[in-house]
Amino acid sequence: MIVAAAVCPSPPLLIPELTGAQQVATELRRACHASVAELTAAAPEVIALVGAAERSRTWNGAATFDLARYAPGMSSGAAPGMSLRAAPLLGSGAAPRLSAGAGQGPDPGPAGLPPALGVGNWLLDQAGCQVIRVLQSVAQDEAPARCADIGARLAASRGRVALLVMADGSARRGLKAPGYLDGRSTGFDAEVERAVRTGRLEALLSADPALARELMATGRPAWQVLAGALRGRKVSSEVRYRDDPFGVAYLVASLRVLREPCGAEGEPREPGMAEQSYGGRSVLIFGAAGALGAGVAAAFAAAGASVTGVHKTQPAAERRLERVSYKSADVLVDEAVGELFDSAPAPWAVINTVGSFVPRRPFAELDPAELIGQLEVNLVTAALITKHALRVMQPAGEGRIVHTASRAGVVTKGAGFAYSVSKLGVLHLVSMAADDVRGTGVTVNCVVPSIIDTPVNRAAMPSANHDSWPKVPDIARTYLFLAAPESGLVNGAAIPV
């Protein structure tokens, strides 16, 4: 259920690291911060971030937004090269992480986050956003009907959904504009503003893709996603900013949903994230006897799923959960994993919480056996589970696979090499498998924990602030979201928690 939306432009100069001490576009930046702050104040459970790019897809947590693309001096020695690492899909509540980078060239490669999503992700981090984020790019040449369909599917997700649309208007509004002057740009941008200001968003679907392309209005597909998401809903709108300071039309607005489709009693229905429709769906959970796996199994059972927990050995009777059946399998043995999947009909969802941790040690003390062990337990198991899950899911044309990675996989300091590289492999596995299944009805995603509040971790770090650690029931809700039938648009995502 969509509860609010915001429209912001996506010029990278909104990020102060690109402008230094020079005050640039302060009024625009202030309006964007206010709009995003109002969006997060609507108490969404999911924020869908939408922006135009070369193709339509969702983005995972390994993507980065390279600031050096827009400030060559960062890589030439005038200032340290910096990359803004995406925290897509779940905000950390902290400022964006900036890490040293080479800034090599204008193309960051296939993992590079598109500018619209990179800037939008930065705005959400600045607002202290701590809810799930879905990052959706929309192809510049996507047809209006397809854009509207993407918006409708995002809005139909269960739970409270907010939409942040990053969209620039025409870039031909003056003699010094990026595309020089085109007299048609004034009328084009005025129509967009009128549709947003009046809340009559259906008019956005009439924007001509060919004209938008000629006017360099890159926000056209994102606006049409907005129209599809809010179709049939009454909204109030506040335009916070409209101007073209650099010959590009920038529009900032906040939209509030005033009326939602009603339930059986005529009252707005506001289902929570744990109310996904799992009734009658089978869920296979690997590592179900562990602290995280047990919590995830309990959450799926409470949501109505038929849960089977898998562990190397059957858990003791006192550790078994009600409404969860158990099977044993050695997930390092290809044949054993294959037999497990062949023993029952294809599950709706496969959740993998198998893993182990070893602490950091200096490279001079690297233990090859320890490295191989971490790769086997954390990565090889994930690969075998994925192999056999896809073998049975793809013929069925539907399914969800959710792995467990770690933030240690994307850092180079503080984490042990063996553990870090094994979890980095999981992130890469998810990204590649997601590309492999795109368009099949199956999705592959992962949850990326940092520290988890478990008895073992508390015992290992007795002086830490345990109250601030993420709790297993809260993390379990992220698995519920990714495995939900309504989350079919989310593929290849890595959600930090």
Coordinates of all heavy atoms in Angstrom, one line a residue, residues 355-426:
G355 N 26.3 -20.7 7.6 CA 27.5 -19.9 7.6 C 28.3 -20.1 8.9 O 27.8 -20.6 9.9
S356 N 29.6 -19.7 8.8 CA 30.4 -19.7 10.0 C 31.4 -18.5 9.9 O 31.5 -17.9 8.9 CB 31.2 -21.0 10.1 OG 32.2 -21.1 9.1
F357 N 31.9 -18.2 11.1 CA 32.8 -17.0 11.2 C 34.1 -17.4 11.8 O 34.1 -18.2 12.8 CB 32.1 -16.0 12.0 CG 33.0 -14.8 12.4 CD1 33.2 -13.8 11.6 CD2 33.5 -14.8 13.7 CE1 34.0 -12.7 11.9 CE2 34.3 -13.7 14.1 CZ 34.6 -12.7 13.2
V358 N 35.2 -16.8 11.3 CA 36.5 -16.9 12.0 C 37.0 -15.5 12.1 O 36.8 -14.7 11.3 CB 37.5 -17.8 11.2 CG1 37.0 -19.3 11.2 CG2 37.7 -17.3 9.8
P359 N 37.7 -15.2 13.2 CA 38.2 -13.8 13.5 C 39.4 -13.5 12.6 O 40.0 -14.3 11.9 CB 38.6 -13.9 14.9 CG 38.9 -15.3 15.2 CD 37.9 -16.1 14.4
R360 N 39.6 -12.2 12.6 CA 40.7 -11.7 11.8 C 42.1 -12.2 12.3 O 42.3 -12.3 13.5 CB 40.7 -10.2 11.8 CG 41.8 -9.5 11.0 CD 41.6 -7.9 11.1 NE 42.7 -7.3 10.4 CZ 43.9 -7.0 10.8 NH1 44.2 -7.4 12.0 NH2 44.8 -6.4 10.1
R361 N 43.0 -12.4 11.3 CA 44.4 -12.7 11.7 C 45.3 -12.0 10.7 O 44.8 -11.8 9.5 CB 44.6 -14.2 11.7 CG 44.5 -14.9 10.4 CD 45.1 -16.3 10.4 NE 44.3 -17.2 11.2 CZ 44.8 -18.1 12.1 NH1 46.1 -18.2 12.2 NH2 44.0 -19.0 12.7
P362 N 46.5 -11.7 11.0 CA 47.4 -11.0 10.0 C 47.6 -11.9 8.8 O 47.6 -13.2 9.0 CB 48.7 -10.8 10.9 CG 48.2 -10.8 12.3 CD 47.1 -11.8 12.3
F363 N 47.9 -11.3 7.7 CA 48.2 -12.1 6.5 C 49.4 -13.0 6.7 O 49.4 -14.1 6.1 CB 48.3 -11.2 5.3 CG 47.1 -11.1 4.5 CD1 46.3 -9.9 4.6 CD2 46.7 -12.0 3.6 CE1 45.2 -9.8 3.8 CE2 45.5 -11.9 2.8 CZ 44.8 -10.8 3.0
A364 N 50.3 -12.6 7.4 CA 51.5 -13.4 7.7 C 51.2 -14.7 8.4 O 52.0 -15.6 8.5 CB 52.6 -12.6 8.5
E365 N 50.0 -14.7 9.0 CA 49.6 -15.9 9.8 C 48.4 -16.6 9.1 O 47.7 -17.4 9.7 CB 49.2 -15.5 11.2 CG 50.3 -14.9 12.0 CD 49.8 -14.4 13.3 OE1 48.7 -14.7 13.7 OE2 50.6 -13.7 14.0
L366 N 48.3 -16.4 7.8 CA 47.2 -17.0 7.0 C 47.2 -18.5 7.1 O 48.2 -19.1 6.9 CB 47.2 -16.5 5.6 CG 46.1 -17.1 4.7 CD1 44.7 -16.6 5.0 CD2 46.4 -16.8 3.2
D367 N 46.1 -19.1 7.5 CA 45.9 -20.5 7.6 C 45.2 -21.0 6.3 O 44.0 -20.8 6.2 CB 45.2 -20.9 8.8 CG 45.1 -22.4 9.0 OD1 45.3 -23.2 8.0 OD2 44.7 -22.8 10.1
P368 N 45.8 -21.7 5.4 CA 45.1 -22.1 4.2 C 43.9 -23.0 4.5 O 42.9 -22.9 3.8 CB 46.2 -22.9 3.4 CG 47.5 -22.4 3.9 CD 47.3 -22.0 5.4
A369 N 44.0 -23.9 5.5 CA 42.9 -24.7 5.8 C 41.7 -23.9 6.3 O 40.6 -24.2 6.0 CB 43.3 -25.7 6.9
E370 N 42.0 -22.9 7.0 CA 40.9 -22.0 7.5 C 40.3 -21.3 6.4 O 39.0 -21.1 6.3 CB 41.5 -21.0 8.5 CG 40.5 -20.1 9.1 CD 41.1 -19.1 10.2 OE1 41.7 -18.1 9.7 OE2 41.1 -19.5 11.4
L371 N 41.1 -20.8 5.4 CA 40.5 -20.1 4.2 C 39.6 -21.0 3.4 O 38.5 -20.7 3.0 CB 41.7 -19.6 3.4 CG 41.3 -19.0 2.0 CD1 40.4 -17.8 2.2 CD2 42.6 -18.6 1.3
I372 N 40.1 -22.2 3.2 CA 39.3 -23.2 2.4 C 38.0 -23.5 3.1 O 37.0 -23.6 2.5 CB 40.2 -24.5 2.1 CG1 41.3 -24.1 1.2 CG2 39.3 -25.6 1.5 CD1 42.3 -25.3 1.0
G373 N 38.1 -23.7 4.5 CA 37.0 -24.0 5.3 C 35.9 -22.9 5.2 O 34.7 -23.2 5.1
Q374 N 36.3 -21.6 5.2 CA 35.4 -20.5 5.1 C 34.7 -20.5 3.7 O 33.5 -20.2 3.6 CB 36.1 -19.2 5.4 CG 36.4 -19.0 6.9 CD 35.1 -18.7 7.7 OE1 34.6 -17.6 7.8 NE2 34.6 -19.8 8.4
L375 N 35.5 -20.7 2.7 CA 35.0 -20.7 1.4 C 34.0 -21.8 1.2 O 32.9 -21.6 0.6 CB 36.1 -20.8 0.3 CG 37.0 -19.6 0.2 CD1 38.2 -20.0 -0.7 CD2 36.2 -18.4 -0.4
E376 N 34.2 -23.0 1.8 CA 33.3 -24.1 1.7 C 32.0 -23.8 2.4 O 30.9 -24.0 1.9 CB 34.0 -25.4 2.2 CG 35.1 -25.9 1.3 CD 35.6 -27.2 1.8 OE1 35.5 -27.4 3.1 OE2 36.2 -28.0 1.1
V377 N 32.1 -23.4 3.7 CA 30.9 -23.3 4.5 C 30.1 -22.1 4.1 O 28.8 -22.2 4.1 CB 31.3 -23.2 6.0 CG1 30.1 -22.9 6.9 CG2 32.0 -24.4 6.5
N378 N 30.7 -21.0 3.7 CA 29.9 -19.8 3.4 C 29.6 -19.7 1.9 O 28.5 -19.1 1.6 CB 30.7 -18.6 3.8 CG 30.8 -18.5 5.3 OD1 29.9 -18.9 6.1 ND2 32.0 -18.0 5.8
L379 N 30.4 -20.1 1.0 CA 30.2 -19.9 -0.4 C 29.8 -21.2 -1.2 O 28.8 -21.2 -1.9 CB 31.5 -19.3 -1.1 CG 31.4 -19.0 -2.6 CD1 30.2 -18.1 -2.9 CD2 32.7 -18.4 -3.1
V380 N 30.5 -22.3 -1.0 CA 30.2 -23.5 -1.7 C 28.8 -23.9 -1.3 O 28.0 -24.4 -2.2 CB 31.2 -24.6 -1.4 CG1 30.8 -25.9 -2.1 CG2 32.6 -24.2 -2.0
T381 N 28.4 -23.9 -0.1 CA 27.1 -24.3 0.3 C 26.0 -23.4 -0.4 O 25.0 -23.9 -0.9 CB 26.9 -24.1 1.8 OG1 27.2 -22.8 2.2 CG2 27.8 -25.1 2.6
A382 N 26.3 -22.1 -0.4 CA 25.3 -21.2 -1.1 C 25.2 -21.5 -2.6 O 24.1 -21.5 -3.2 CB 25.8 -19.7 -0.9
A383 N 26.3 -21.9 -3.2 CA 26.3 -22.3 -4.6 C 25.5 -23.5 -4.9 O 24.7 -23.6 -5.8 CB 27.7 -22.4 -5.2
L384 N 25.7 -24.5 -4.0 CA 25.0 -25.8 -4.2 C 23.5 -25.6 -3.9 O 22.7 -26.2 -4.7 CB 25.6 -26.9 -3.3 CG 27.0 -27.3 -3.6 CD1 27.5 -28.4 -2.6 CD2 27.1 -27.9 -5.0
I385 N 23.2 -24.9 -2.9 CA 21.7 -24.6 -2.6 C 21.1 -23.9 -3.8 O 20.0 -24.2 -4.3 CB 21.6 -23.8 -1.3 CG1 22.0 -24.7 -0.1 CG2 20.2 -23.2 -1.2 CD1 22.1 -23.9 1.2
T386 N 21.8 -22.9 -4.4 CA 21.3 -22.2 -5.5 C 21.1 -23.1 -6.7 O 20.1 -23.0 -7.4 CB 22.2 -21.0 -5.9 OG1 22.4 -20.1 -4.7 CG2 21.6 -20.2 -7.0
K387 N 22.1 -23.9 -7.0 CA 22.0 -24.8 -8.1 C 20.8 -25.7 -8.1 O 20.0 -25.7 -9.1 CB 23.3 -25.7 -8.1 CG 23.2 -26.9 -9.1 CD 24.4 -27.8 -8.9 CE 24.2 -29.1 -9.7 NZ 25.4 -30.0 -9.5
H388 N 20.5 -26.3 -7.0 CA 19.4 -27.3 -6.9 C 18.1 -26.5 -6.7 O 17.0 -27.0 -7.2 CB 19.7 -28.3 -5.8 CG 20.8 -29.2 -6.2 ND1 20.6 -30.2 -7.1 CD2 22.1 -29.3 -5.7 CE1 21.8 -30.9 -7.2 NE2 22.7 -30.3 -6.4
A389 N 18.1 -25.4 -6.1 CA 16.8 -24.6 -6.0 C 16.4 -24.2 -7.3 O 15.2 -24.3 -7.7 CB 17.0 -23.4 -5.0
L390 N 17.3 -23.7 -8.2 CA 16.9 -23.2 -9.5 C 16.5 -24.4 -10.4 O 15.7 -24.3 -11.3 CB 18.1 -22.5 -10.1 CG 18.4 -21.1 -9.5 CD1 19.6 -20.5 -10.3 CD2 17.2 -20.2 -9.5
R391 N 17.2 -25.6 -10.2 CA 16.8 -26.7 -11.0 C 15.4 -27.1 -10.8 O 14.8 -27.6 -11.8 CB 17.7 -27.9 -10.5 CG 17.5 -29.2 -11.3 CD 18.5 -30.2 -10.9 NE 18.6 -30.5 -9.5 CZ 17.7 -31.4 -8.9 NH1 16.8 -32.0 -9.6 NH2 17.9 -31.6 -7.6
V392 N 14.8 -26.9 -9.6 CA 13.4 -27.3 -9.4 C 12.4 -26.1 -9.6 O 11.3 -26.3 -9.9 CB 13.2 -28.0 -8.1 CG1 14.0 -29.2 -8.0 CG2 13.5 -27.1 -6.9
M393 N 12.9 -24.9 -9.3 CA 12.1 -23.7 -9.4 C 11.8 -23.2 -10.8 O 10.7 -22.8 -11.2 CB 12.7 -22.6 -8.6 CG 12.5 -22.7 -7.1 SD 13.3 -21.3 -6.3 CE 12.8 -21.6 -4.6
Q394 N 12.9 -23.3 -11.6 CA 12.7 -22.7 -13.0 C 11.7 -23.4 -13.8 O 10.9 -22.8 -14.5 CB 14.1 -22.7 -13.7 CG 15.0 -21.5 -13.2 CD 16.3 -21.4 -13.9 OE1 17.0 -22.4 -14.0 NE2 16.5 -20.2 -14.4
P395 N 11.6 -24.8 -13.8 CA 10.5 -25.4 -14.5 C 9.1 -25.0 -14.0 O 8.1 -25.0 -14.7 CB 10.7 -26.9 -14.3 CG 12.2 -27.0 -14.0 CD 12.5 -25.8 -13.2
A396 N 9.0 -24.7 -12.7 CA 7.8 -24.2 -12.1 C 7.4 -22.8 -12.5 O 6.3 -22.4 -12.3 CB 7.8 -24.4 -10.6
G397 N 8.4 -22.0 -12.9 CA 8.2 -20.7 -13.3 C 8.0 -19.7 -12.2 O 7.5 -18.6 -12.4
E398 N 8.4 -20.0 -10.9 CA 8.2 -19.1 -9.8 C 9.1 -19.6 -8.7 O 9.5 -20.8 -8.6 CB 6.8 -19.0 -9.4 CG 6.2 -20.4 -8.9 CD 4.8 -20.2 -8.4 OE1 4.1 -19.2 -8.6 OE2 4.3 -21.2 -7.7
G399 N 9.4 -18.7 -7.8 CA 10.2 -19.0 -6.6 C 11.0 -17.9 -6.1 O 11.3 -16.9 -6.8
R400 N 11.5 -18.0 -4.8 CA 12.3 -17.0 -4.2 C 13.5 -17.7 -3.5 O 13.3 -18.7 -2.8 CB 11.5 -16.2 -3.2 CG 10.3 -15.5 -3.7 CD 10.6 -14.3 -4.5 NE 9.4 -13.6 -4.9 CZ 8.8 -13.8 -6.1 NH1 9.3 -14.6 -7.0 NH2 7.7 -13.1 -6.4
I401 N 14.7 -17.2 -3.8 CA 15.9 -17.6 -3.1 C 16.5 -16.5 -2.3 O 16.7 -15.4 -2.9 CB 16.9 -18.2 -4.1 CG1 16.3 -19.4 -4.9 CG2 18.2 -18.7 -3.3 CD1 17.2 -19.9 -6.0
V402 N 16.7 -16.6 -1.0 CA 17.3 -15.5 -0.2 C 18.5 -16.1 0.5 O 18.4 -17.0 1.3 CB 16.3 -15.0 0.8 CG1 16.9 -13.8 1.5 CG2 15.0 -14.6 0.0
H403 N 19.7 -15.6 0.2 CA 20.9 -16.0 0.9 C 21.2 -15.0 2.1 O 20.6 -13.9 2.2 CB 22.1 -16.0 -0.1 CG 22.0 -17.2 -1.0 ND1 22.2 -18.5 -0.6 CD2 21.8 -17.2 -2.4 CE1 22.1 -19.3 -1.6 NE2 21.8 -18.6 -2.7
T404 N 22.3 -15.3 2.8 CA 22.8 -14.5 3.9 C 24.2 -14.1 3.6 O 25.1 -15.0 3.6 CB 22.6 -15.1 5.2 OG1 21.3 -15.6 5.4 CG2 23.0 -14.2 6.4
A405 N 24.5 -12.9 3.3 CA 25.9 -12.4 3.1 C 26.4 -11.7 4.4 O 26.0 -12.1 5.5 CB 26.0 -11.5 1.9
S406 N 27.3 -10.8 4.3 CA 27.7 -10.0 5.5 C 28.4 -8.7 5.0 O 28.9 -8.7 3.9 CB 28.8 -10.8 6.2 OG 29.4 -10.0 7.2
R407 N 28.2 -7.7 5.8 CA 28.9 -6.4 5.5 C 30.4 -6.6 5.4 O 31.1 -5.8 4.8 CB 28.5 -5.3 6.4 CG 27.0 -4.9 6.3 CD 26.7 -3.6 7.0 NE 25.3 -3.4 7.0 CZ 24.7 -2.3 7.5 NH1 25.5 -1.3 8.0 NH2 23.4 -2.1 7.5
A408 N 30.9 -7.6 6.1 CA 32.4 -7.9 6.1 C 32.8 -8.2 4.6 O 34.0 -8.0 4.3 CB 32.7 -9.0 7.0
G409 N 31.9 -8.5 3.8 CA 32.2 -8.8 2.4 C 32.5 -7.6 1.5 O 33.0 -7.8 0.4
V410 N 32.2 -6.4 2.0 CA 32.4 -5.2 1.2 C 33.4 -4.2 1.9 O 33.4 -3.1 1.6 CB 31.1 -4.5 0.9 CG1 30.2 -5.4 0.0 CG2 30.3 -4.2 2.2
V411 N 34.1 -4.7 2.9 CA 35.1 -3.8 3.6 C 36.4 -4.5 3.5 O 36.6 -5.7 3.3 CB 34.7 -3.6 5.1 CG1 33.3 -2.8 5.1 CG2 34.6 -4.8 5.9
T412 N 37.5 -3.7 3.7 CA 38.8 -4.2 3.7 C 39.5 -4.0 5.1 O 40.7 -4.5 5.2 CB 39.7 -3.5 2.6 OG1 39.7 -2.1 2.8 CG2 39.1 -3.9 1.3
K413 N 38.9 -3.4 6.0 CA 39.5 -3.1 7.3 C 38.6 -3.7 8.4 O 37.4 -3.6 8.3 CB 39.7 -1.7 7.6 CG 40.7 -1.0 6.7 CD 41.0 0.4 7.1 CE 42.1 1.1 6.2 NZ 42.3 2.5 6.5
G414 N 39.2 -4.3 9.4 CA 38.4 -4.8 10.5 C 37.9 -6.2 10.4 O 37.6 -6.9 11.4
A415 N 37.8 -6.7 9.2 CA 37.3 -8.1 9.0 C 38.4 -9.0 8.6 O 39.5 -8.6 8.0 CB 36.3 -8.1 7.9
G416 N 38.3 -10.3 9.0 CA 39.3 -11.3 8.6 C 39.2 -11.6 7.1 O 38.1 -11.7 6.6
F417 N 40.3 -11.9 6.5 CA 40.3 -12.1 5.0 C 39.5 -13.3 4.6 O 38.7 -13.3 3.7 CB 41.7 -12.3 4.5 CG 41.8 -12.7 3.1 CD1 41.5 -11.9 2.0 CD2 42.2 -14.0 2.8 CE1 41.5 -12.3 0.7 CE2 42.2 -14.4 1.4 CZ 41.9 -13.6 0.4
A418 N 39.6 -14.4 5.4 CA 38.9 -15.7 5.0 C 37.4 -15.5 5.0 O 36.7 -15.9 4.1 CB 39.4 -16.8 5.9
Y419 N 37.0 -14.9 6.1 CA 35.5 -14.7 6.2 C 35.0 -13.7 5.2 O 34.0 -13.9 4.5 CB 35.2 -14.2 7.7 CG 33.7 -13.9 7.9 CD1 32.8 -15.0 7.9 CD2 33.3 -12.6 8.1 CE1 31.4 -14.7 8.1 CE2 31.9 -12.4 8.3 CZ 31.0 -13.4 8.3 OH 29.7 -13.1 8.5
S420 N 35.8 -12.6 5.1 CA 35.4 -11.5 4.2 C 35.3 -11.9 2.8 O 34.3 -11.7 2.1 CB 36.3 -10.3 4.3 OG 36.0 -9.3 3.4
V421 N 36.3 -12.6 2.3 CA 36.3 -13.0 0.9 C 35.2 -14.1 0.6 O 34.6 -14.1 -0.5 CB 37.7 -13.5 0.4 CG1 37.9 -14.9 1.0 CG2 37.8 -13.5 -1.1
S422 N 34.9 -14.9 1.6 CA 33.8 -15.9 1.4 C 32.5 -15.2 1.3 O 31.6 -15.7 0.5 CB 33.8 -16.9 2.5 OG 33.5 -16.4 3.7
K423 N 32.2 -14.2 2.1 CA 31.0 -13.5 2.0 C 30.9 -12.6 0.8 O 29.8 -12.3 0.2 CB 30.7 -12.7 3.3 CG 30.4 -13.6 4.5 CD 29.1 -14.4 4.3 CE 28.7 -15.1 5.6 NZ 27.5 -15.9 5.4
L424 N 32.0 -12.0 0.3 CA 32.0 -11.3 -0.9 C 31.6 -12.2 -2.1 O 30.9 -11.8 -3.0 CB 33.4 -10.7 -1.2 CG 33.6 -10.0 -2.5 CD1 32.7 -8.8 -2.6 CD2 35.1 -9.6 -2.7
G425 N 32.0 -13.5 -2.0 CA 31.6 -14.4 -3.0 C 30.1 -14.7 -3.0 O 29.5 -14.8 -4.1
V426 N 29.5 -14.6 -1.9 CA 28.0 -14.8 -1.8 C 27.3 -13.6 -2.5 O 26.4 -13.8 -3.2 CB 27.6 -14.9 -0.3 CG1 26.0 -14.9 -0.3 CG2 28.1 -16.2 0.3

